[in-house]
Amino acid sequence: KLDQAAEIIKSSNGGTFLLTGETDKKGSEAYNLRLSRQRAAAVVNALEARGVSANQLKSKGVGEANAMVSEKASDAERMADRKVVATAVDKAAFDAMEKSDLPVVNKKK
């Protein structure tokens, strides 16, 4: 799917895309938000590794906000909520967004 997405984005004539990470409902909201941010950023990195321009992609995580499956459902059923969704975004809106909503980590010296 990543190869297919990379080809679509590369053939979009410079189109800009927001990759939104989502999680299932299991776990704390804070954990799921962090996980969804990491998930979306990982997909951006994978697409860039496949030749997509970094200028075409941005990422954000929404945690469990869009999850539809109960946290009491089976792991296999909850899998439907674990995803990254790519959405075409117009250039003005895209330019107003940060590259990623992952917090910057400052390493201790």
Side-chain angles (χ1 to χ4, degrees):
K1 289 189 178 198
L2 288 169
D3 290 339
Q4 186 179 16
E7 290 308 313
I8 291 168
I9 293 168
K10 286 192 285 187
S11 69
S12 71
N13 244 357
T16 49
F17 297 82
L18 175 64
L19 283 86
T20 305
E22 301 181 11
T23 67
D24 63 25
K25 292 181 182 182
K26 190 169 184 180
S28 72
E29 286 187 35
Y31 172 81
N32 284 334
L33 181 58
R34 184 173 65 251
L35 178 62
S36 68
R37 287 174 172 168
Q38 292 169 341
R39 183 172 286 157
V43 171
V44 165
N45 290 336
L47 291 171
E48 289 174 356
R50 286 166 171 79
V52 175
S53 169
N55 296 327
Q56 289 182 268
L57 304 172
K58 294 190 178 179
S59 69
K60 75 172 185 174
V62 296
E64 61 189 60
N66 298 334
M68 303 300 284
V69 180
S70 166
E71 69 181 86
K72 295 180 178 165
S74 72
D75 192 54
E77 292 169 316
R78 289 192 326 275
M79 188 73 89
D81 285 333
R82 301 177 198 147
K83 60 191 169 204
V84 174
V85 177
T87 307
V89 178
D90 86 9
K91 188 77 170 119
F94 185 83
D95 289 344
M97 295 176 196
E98 295 292 323
K99 173 69 175 174
S100 172
D101 61 358
L102 271 177
V104 175
V105 177
N106 293 317
K107 294 183 179 180
K108 293 183 179 180
K109 295 180 182 181

